Amino acid sequence: MKSLYLLSAFLCTQLFSSQVLIHHTTNYFGPNANPVPEFTDALISQNTNVTLIGDYYFGHGDNTFSNNVKVEIPLIPEKVSVKVWKTLIEYYSVTDEIVSRRSMQKNNGFATGDFYIQTRIRILSEKKNSPSLVLNSTLKTASGSDFKNRRFFNTAGYYFDVELGKSFVFDDSFIDEIRLVSDFGFFSWDVQTPNINVQDDAVMYGLKFILKHKNISLENTFSGYGGWIKRVEDYGNKPMVFSSRLNFELRKTLWFLQFQRGIKYFPFEQIRVGVQIPLENLTPKFFDKK
């Protein structure tokens, strides 16, 4: 009986020691796994919008091509909306060093991302001496693929944040409008370990500065989040990013080009191109008096 007990203890020890401790952070996964949440200009659209995005992430040993589709449907125009988005597919190619660092099984391949579902509620309307305030509630599902190659987490997450925005309009000036937006919230996601599941909780934050001239605008955004878990020196659940995005509106359709740089714990640079298409005919008319 004693020999059987010792054998069982040995096997259990070998089982747990052979399991790899996975770091669920942006520093050990692909760029679309748990990125810094994006935030808007603290406004809710009047019409349904579909946004098509193409991304190229490069540098630091990981090259990733991906696309993303976002759909925002206003249930009450400019007051309440539902937004969903997903990385439909990504192609990645990484160096041997990255394979070893992340405990991946191969250097390249395809993966598909998580579904995000968000509700947006306008709490305050913008007035002459007061800003607009929008509350977002977002769920990240554990629907991404290729966890074994560290492309997407196999756990769910969620976040709550508020966007605060105020515009300053100028007459007889090259700059028609300056808009300032801030974002603050709580971000949480599950982290699996060999013995127990825990939750990494983080404070998320962001600042956005928008310059507008007729149908052209330039957005500069600084954002990030900071979690509490720290296993190793470069664990990396405190990513920070900075992005510049140029928007061009043509016949109500918005085209944009963006460059994003990872400042800390987000080892990727990004080039993004996209288009936002309004679909007025697909906008719900729940409160249409007609």
Side-chain angles (χ1 to χ4, degrees), residues 4-115:
L4 182 60
Y5 172 78
L6 292 175
L7 178 61
S8 299
F10 174 76
L11 292 176
C12 289
T13 301
Q14 289 298 107
L15 174 63
F16 286 119
S17 64
S18 63
Q19 295 189 50
V20 178
L21 183 62
I22 304 302
H23 300 324
H24 285 72
T25 72
T26 55
N27 218 21
Y28 284 85
F29 271 76
N32 295 307
N34 207 46
V36 175
E38 298 177 2
F39 62 100
T40 69
D41 53 359
L43 297 172
I44 295 177
S45 177
Q46 186 175 8
N47 296 311
T48 295
N49 287 311
V50 174
T51 305
L52 307 176
I53 296 171
D55 288 325
Y56 172 49
Y57 294 93
F58 60 95
H60 312 278
D62 186 326
N63 293 333
T64 300
F65 293 89
S66 64
N67 56 28
N68 188 289
V69 175
K70 296 183 180 182
V71 180
E72 182 169 9
I73 303 173
L75 304 181
I76 305 177
E78 300 181 340
K79 294 182 179 180
V80 179
S81 72
V82 174
K83 181 188 284 188
V84 296
W85 67 90
K86 175 184 174 65
T87 297
L88 296 180
I89 192 170
E90 69 168 31
Y91 172 77
Y92 61 91
S93 177
V94 305
T95 62
D96 292 337
E97 181 181 356
I98 295 297
V99 170
S100 176
R101 172 183 170 79
R102 300 179 186 171
S103 300
M104 297 169 61
Q105 297 184 3
K106 59 182 182 179
N107 292 75
N108 55 71
F110 292 89
T112 185
D114 300 305
F115 268 109

Side-chain angles (χ1 to χ4, degrees), residues 143-158:
S143 53
S145 69
D146 215 1
F147 168 75
K148 63 184 179 181
N149 287 301
R150 311 300 176 247
R151 302 314 299 178
F152 294 93
F153 293 178
N154 59 347
T155 62
Y158 62 91

